[in-house]
Amino acid sequence: MMEAFTAYIKTISALTVFSVAVGLLMPKGNFRQYTRWILGLLVLLAVLKPMLGLFHLKEMDSQFFALPEQEVSYDAELGENWTRKTMENQVLSELQRQEPNVDDVHIAWNEESGLPEEMEISGRNLPESLKEDAAKEYGMETEAITLVP
């Protein structure tokens, strides 16, 4: 019984501290008022949750506070492809800052290490020095980088 009461007090305290912290971090305006109202409602619900048991409202309690069961799955290949595409876009933007004529970048990745193995940079009138700069920047051999007009 004492552990349940301690957990109850800890929950209310944590929600209150969280609500105050969020309220202080929010900028002034209407959005701040709505956020404080919602957080106050959450604290109130946490305080009233044990009362539901007193009035034999267990069914409502379990339905109201229950989270829907969902199966979460993660597709590793999809995540890896997304990461690689994001890295390609980052390399493209860095190269475009250096040389505005760069149009696109394609990177072949080493399956074991996950590092770039070959790079194809396409664009018009690209200087050969771009290969050396990219090789130095991304830790690749100059021969592994191809410039495509």
Side-chain angles (χ1 to χ4, degrees):
M1 179 71 175
M2 191 62 166
E3 291 125 13
F5 182 70
T6 305
Y8 172 69
I9 296 298
K10 284 182 180 179
T11 302
I12 292 171
S13 300
L15 274 172
T16 304
V17 169
F18 176 74
S19 297
V20 169
V22 169
L24 291 173
L25 293 174
M26 292 298 298
K28 294 191 186 313
N30 288 340
F31 192 65
R32 184 179 196 175
Q33 292 173 342
Y34 295 124
T35 304
R36 290 175 117 182
W37 187 84
I38 290 171
L39 291 171
L41 184 63
L42 286 175
V43 171
L44 182 65
L45 286 173
V47 169
L48 294 178
K49 186 175 179 189
M51 307 285 180
L52 296 175
L54 293 176
F55 297 110
H56 304 289
L57 298 174
K58 290 286 186 188
E59 298 83 27
M60 188 179 103
D61 180 34
S62 63
Q63 290 174 356
F64 188 74
F65 291 103
L67 295 174
E69 292 184 23
Q70 295 178 353
E71 184 177 320
V72 178
S73 65
Y74 175 73
D75 186 355
E77 186 177 339
L78 181 64
E80 191 173 308
N81 289 340
W82 180 83
T83 303
R84 289 179 177 177
K85 189 63 179 167
T86 303
M87 291 173 73
E88 275 186 8
N89 289 337
Q90 180 67 31
V91 169
L92 175 63
S93 65
E94 289 173 4
L95 289 174
Q96 284 176 334
R97 268 189 249 122
Q98 192 175 14
E99 178 60 48
N101 291 335
V102 173
D103 293 329
D104 200 12
V105 172
H106 293 286
I107 300 174
W109 301 89
N110 184 320
E111 293 300 321
E112 290 179 15
S113 67
L115 297 173
E117 200 169 62
E118 295 179 353
M119 185 182 300
E120 186 178 277
I121 305 170
S122 40
R124 54 194 184 290
N125 301 327
L126 298 176
E128 283 294 317
S129 62
L130 186 62
K131 284 174 66 170
E132 296 168 8
D133 295 341
K136 194 180 298 180
E137 178 74 24
Y138 302 109
M140 299 174 65
E141 298 293 324
T142 309
E143 297 80 31
I145 299 176
T146 311
L147 299 178
V148 179

